[in-house]
Amino acid sequence: MDGNEFFKAYESFCPKELSMKDDAVGLQVGTLDKEFKKVLVTLDIREDTVAEAIENNVDCILAKHALIFRPVSTLVEEDTQQKLILDLIQAGISVYISHTNIDIVDGGINDYFCQLLDINDTEFLSQTSDSNGIGRIGNIEKQTLGEFIVKTKKAFDLDDIRLVSYEKDLNREISRVAICGGTGGSFFKDALDKKADLFITGDVYYHSAHDMISSGLIVLDPGHYIEKDFIPLVAEKLRQLTSGVEIIESKANTNPFITL
């Protein structure tokens, strides 16, 4: 399948135009003007991902997190980040990024999270346009915080989870939950405005956590790596939307943290 046609099909589901301002989306390395036989879907592009892509002889990597974050003034092998780019270029592997557009789109990663956690009757957490928004908020069957924490850990295959609170009140009842994958702490006031009992997001900063607690909002921080669910979600969408291309789900572990 032609690379341009492949991503035209993907963008019929997840348009680049949905992305937030100045986000890195679309083609970052290589070309789409070639035949695609194999595409690797991954969350991050790191050393193991590149090795996996080369070993599988893929034509393109579709990743959620950008390989190139800021303008590159040199391309030298001594720089570990630049070496990733060079290795991909030398292997003839293109790189395409789908970041906040997959967070925002209907049926994207935040809706997938809501399905996993049985969050229903959802609406956008924060509006990004007249008809789209990032994050979701909705209702769950009334339960204790402790019960919902168990459910969340199981849904995301977590050994532990951070609770943003001064007190460990696991008997507190919750029925309205907001969620934003990745680093969504800046949306905690939206969660408050929409009457969330609980907000789930990753990478909560120390001082932001104080502000959240002072506002009366309970927050669960499951980490950024729950976005690994991007892989099966997008891989399945690609299999539905395209033909003649083998979609490979990355098995590389790119979580930079280990729980001891």
Side-chain angles (χ1 to χ4, degrees):
M1 186 175 187
D2 176 74
N4 290 289
E5 290 301 313
F6 182 89
F7 279 108
K8 182 178 179 181
Y10 177 70
E11 290 172 16
S12 70
F13 156 64
C14 189
K16 290 184 291 186
E17 292 73 24
L18 290 180
S19 300
M20 299 186 77
K21 185 180 179 182
D22 298 326
D23 191 22
V25 295
L27 184 68
Q28 281 205 324
V29 173
T31 180
L32 301 183
D33 293 328
K34 62 180 181 180
E35 192 73 10
F36 278 11
K37 295 182 180 178
K38 294 182 180 180
V39 171
L40 177 73
V41 181
T42 187
L43 176 61
D44 306 291
I45 300 178
R46 305 307 309 157
E47 293 82 358
D48 285 354
T49 322
V50 173
E52 184 181 33
I54 293 172
E55 181 180 351
N56 283 280
N57 195 30
V58 306
D59 303 291
C60 182
I61 297 174
L62 195 170
K64 187 175 194 297
H65 295 145
L67 175 62
I68 301 172
F69 298 94
R70 55 188 66 86
V72 177
S73 58
T74 60
L75 274 176
V76 296
E77 291 197 357
E78 287 73 18
D79 183 292
T80 55
Q81 184 68 18
Q82 293 175 15
K83 188 177 186 305
L84 297 177
I85 302 170
L86 285 169
D87 287 347
L88 290 166
I89 291 172
Q90 290 168 358
I93 298 173
S94 302
V95 172
Y96 180 102
I97 304 300
S98 182
H99 190 217
T100 54
N101 49 338
I102 194 66
D103 294 320
I104 290 169
V105 71
D106 184 28
I109 191 73
N110 282 302
D111 286 320
Y112 186 71
F113 290 158
C114 288
Q115 291 176 27
L116 291 177
L117 296 172
D118 294 321
I119 302 172
N120 302 305
D121 307 316
T122 58
E123 59 181 288
F124 303 132
L125 180 59
S126 181
Q127 208 82 17
T128 56
S129 69
D130 289 341
S131 55
N132 294 289
I134 194 164
R136 299 292 187 266
I137 182 168
N139 302 317
I140 61 169
E141 183 178 341
K142 185 177 288 187
Q143 57 197 274
T144 67
L145 174 61
E147 290 170 333
F148 191 75
I149 286 174
V150 170
K151 184 183 188 73
T152 303
K153 289 170 69 175
K154 182 177 180 180
F156 295 128
D157 191 25
L158 300 172
D159 293 325
D160 61 8
I161 194 167
R162 291 203 302 172
L163 172 64
V164 179
S165 176
Y166 292 138
E167 298 177 354
K168 191 177 178 181
D169 182 8
L170 300 183
N171 292 318
R172 181 168 174 173
E173 288 193 332
I174 58 171
S175 61
R176 188 158 174 80
V177 176
I179 188 165
C180 185
T183 306
S186 61
F187 300 113
F188 88 89
K189 291 183 179 178
D190 296 285
L192 277 170
D193 290 342
K194 296 189 175 180
K195 309 301 181 185
D197 300 317
L198 175 71
F199 181 32
I200 304 171
T201 195
D203 303 335
V204 175
Y205 297 109
Y206 181 86
H207 296 296
S208 297
H210 284 157
D211 293 338
M212 292 169 175
I213 294 170
S214 295
S215 72
L217 183 65
I218 301 174
V219 180
L220 289 181
D221 182 347
H224 206 119
Y225 196 61
I226 63 168
E227 289 195 318
K228 67 183 185 301
D229 286 339
F230 169 89
I231 298 171
L233 171 68
V234 170
E236 183 57 31
K237 290 290 184 183
L238 290 172
R239 294 183 186 113
Q240 295 170 2
L241 293 166
T242 64
S243 61
V245 180
E246 182 182 353
I247 307 301
I248 301 171
E249 298 182 30
S250 176
K251 294 179 173 59
N253 178 10
T254 59
N255 187 355
F257 304 110
I258 295 176
T259 301
L260 300 177

